[in-house]
Amino acid sequence: MGKEIINHLGKIEISEEVISTIAGATAVECYGLVGMASRKITDGVADLLRRENLARGVVVTINNNEVVIDLYIIVGYGVKISEVAASVMERVRYTTEKLTGLNVSQVNVNVKGVRVLE
């Protein structure tokens, strides 16, 4: 569905796919995050998504004027997961609000796997 913003110049429609791409691209820039994971885990194996599929590791829900973002990530081995998750939450919230002008009420991080950093 997306979010529609109306101002004196006209109408702006921001799709959930756009918000997903912004959130996914922002998340992979964070230290300790190896990549985005597919939301659908089969056989208990977390698939690492390529750069063009970043939005598939993100679920966006828009209720009234609030955006809720769920991220599915894979972290690097040896990093403190709570610190990586907190960094991802803060950065995704800030960047999404800055680029879209929408209020992000929640950023939920779901760690789906750990990979050894090479």
Side-chain angles (χ1 to χ4, degrees), residues 16 27 32 36 58 61 66-67 69 74 93 105 112:
E16 291 177 355
M36 302 302 291
V58 182
T61 308
E66 295 186 342
V67 177
I69 301 172
I74 298 174
R93 176 190 308 263
S105 62
K112 293 294 185 180

Side-chain angles (χ1 to χ4, degrees), residues 3-91:
K3 178 66 179 161
E4 190 175 280
I5 302 168
I6 299 173
N7 63 20
H8 68 283
L9 297 173
K11 178 175 76 170
I12 302 167
E13 193 169 321
I14 302 173
S15 72
E16 291 177 355
E17 181 73 18
V18 169
I19 298 169
S20 295
T21 301
I22 290 169
T26 301
V28 296
E29 293 175 351
C30 293
Y31 172 78
L33 194 139
V34 176
M36 302 302 291
S38 175
R39 295 181 305 240
K40 299 174 185 170
I41 302 299
T42 55
D43 302 326
V45 178
D47 293 329
L48 190 63
L49 298 175
R50 292 192 304 246
R51 189 107 179 126
E52 62 271 9
N53 293 328
L54 295 176
R56 284 195 358 205
V58 182
V59 176
V60 174
T61 308
I62 300 174
N63 295 322
N64 299 324
N65 288 330
E66 295 186 342
V67 177
V68 176
I69 301 172
D70 293 296
L71 300 167
Y72 296 84
I73 65 170
I74 298 174
V75 298
Y77 177 80
V79 298
K80 189 171 181 181
I81 294 172
S82 62
E83 292 295 322
V84 172
S87 173
V88 168
M89 289 171 164
E90 184 59 37
R91 193 161 181 186

